[in-house]
Amino acid sequence: SPLFRLTLPSKANMAEEDDAAAADALSASDLHFVFACGLSASDLATCALVSKFWRHAVQSAPCWRSILSSDYGIVGAPHGPPSTETEGDVPLAPCTAYGLWARSDYGKFGAMWMRAGRAWKAVEAFLDAQEGNDVARSMRESLCAGATEEHIDTVEAQIMTLLGLDASTKLPVAYRAILRHHDGQDLLFDRERGRTEASIRTAFHGLFGGYIVYDHCVNVRLYSIQQALDTTTWLRNQGSPVSLHDTHIVIAASFNFSKCFTMDVCTGNIYCATVMGNDPDDSVPACPVSEKDGEHDAVLRWFEHYARLVDADVYDFEELQAGEDVTKGLSLFPVRESPFGTDLPAWSAPWRRVDASVAPTPRPVAPTDGSIPLLGPSIAITQGVRVACAAVMLAEHGIRRNGDRVVCGFAYSVRYDMPSMHELRTLGCAPGSAADAQLDSRHWLFTDGAGKVNEVRGKAVIGLHPHLQQAADGAARNPFVYQSQTGPTVVTTHMRGGFDFVPGTLQRPMGPTFYARCNELVLDVPRYVR
């Protein structure tokens, strides 16, 4: 608030009789009750001008904590902004802390500075927790230092020139807050352009992960602001198949541009750009648009959503192309169900790894029944064979309308394994008749919103008959994983099915064939596109 650039009134400005009259009229607790009834910081600053008594009541008002939270995102003990003697965990009076933030350069970020900071801390903590994981370590080391205001201002002017916008146009504050903490990634692949195997590996170390389905390879990294400018310039000059709107810049993309996220510099809204020559207006919103006028925080909400997912261990590291170690990265096929479904909790909600007071989120491993959110995974265990299926929308291929129906494509991942006897007992599931089993055939049922059913049957999966063996107690899982994709699919479509397995092997069966079911998975357009 501009009022907090002024000092609060001094004794000389207030008459003692005014204080006495105020004290007789309302006690400090009465005033605190009134102050807590939705008054803003500006309102409180005005109240402090009434008298010395009111000034003290304003300074000691408990409501400053909630105002600090709403205006600057300060949750917990009040503290000052960075680069001050009172930053970090040094506790301050809430009113004093508010004044420091209001007068600092960070005041212009409002709550977005702390929101971005907490999201980044959750991402950093997730990567740091992956002990012995070279990919996670590489991703952590690739995070650049925060950009300075001067650097952002310089590149911002070049972006507005490129887009033909007025020089007074400013990048959204939410985007600047993200870059001030970490100015994108610096990957070896970007410096060596894949000239060595080591650099090729880092092509799959994008912060936002990816997937490989047949010849469609995606792995999305976060661009620095300079990379955002350079890439947007190159794509516009090259006549790229990536569809870019006139006011959009590319802020994150796969190394091969198979998937690009763009931001409208005027509104802050973020989109997944379509490829293959589609109209730029067909770009898919990657996050619900800002609901408040002038808020322009969609890009930050999109980033917070990603941070919430990794904070809950929804994603894991694996070979994006089975059997190809060089493709190991963060897979966007969920391995655990999100504790908040497809919606984002309030930004002030505690983070599991950042807030030590929050108990770890239990990892759901038991079989589930019925429909579950898009993120998945759906899990079922039949005669000792576990089938887990998860999906992700191929937003980069666009969304089309077929009459009154919305049509888009989905990639899905299926993983099979045979849990150990100990894990089966823990889950309350009966073991199979043999310690190994081999897949014979597949069966899928796709039911759209109109009730139309598309049934698919066939031998093997991707031409293979995986042979599963039961894990020993305490041994690491060794699942068989494959990816595939649907054709143009009407949303909302319910996907379910199963697989015929033979105990033992197909050549030497040890019992009758059994049907390992795959629980239902809902294919729908998510609120947040990853």
Side-chain angles (χ1 to χ4, degrees), residues 108-117 119-120 149 152 156 170-182 222 251 263-265 267-270 287 290 294-304:
K108 66 183 178 185
F109 292 108
M112 294 181 191
W113 174 262
M114 294 300 295
R115 286 172 57 186
W120 272 118
E149 282 293 305
I152 295 176
E156 176 185 70
K170 299 296 181 183
L171 290 170
V173 172
Y175 182 52
R176 298 177 76 104
I178 293 172
L179 297 177
R180 285 296 306 276
H181 287 277
H182 284 296
L222 176 65
I251 63 170
M263 182 188 69
D264 188 327
V265 300
T267 66
N269 292 325
I270 183 169
C287 172
S290 301
E295 192 171 45
H296 297 174
D297 72 336
V299 64
L300 179 54
R301 285 185 284 114
W302 178 77
F303 182 68
E304 286 175 306

Side-chain angles (χ1 to χ4, degrees), residues 93-130:
C95 179
T96 303
Y98 191 97
L100 288 172
W101 280 93
R103 291 191 295 269
S104 75
D105 291 338
Y106 296 91
K108 66 183 178 185
F109 292 108
M112 294 181 191
W113 174 262
M114 294 300 295
R115 286 172 57 186
R118 276 193 292 272
W120 272 118
K121 285 181 179 179
V123 172
E124 293 165 359
F126 165 73
L127 296 175
D128 291 339
Q130 314 301 316

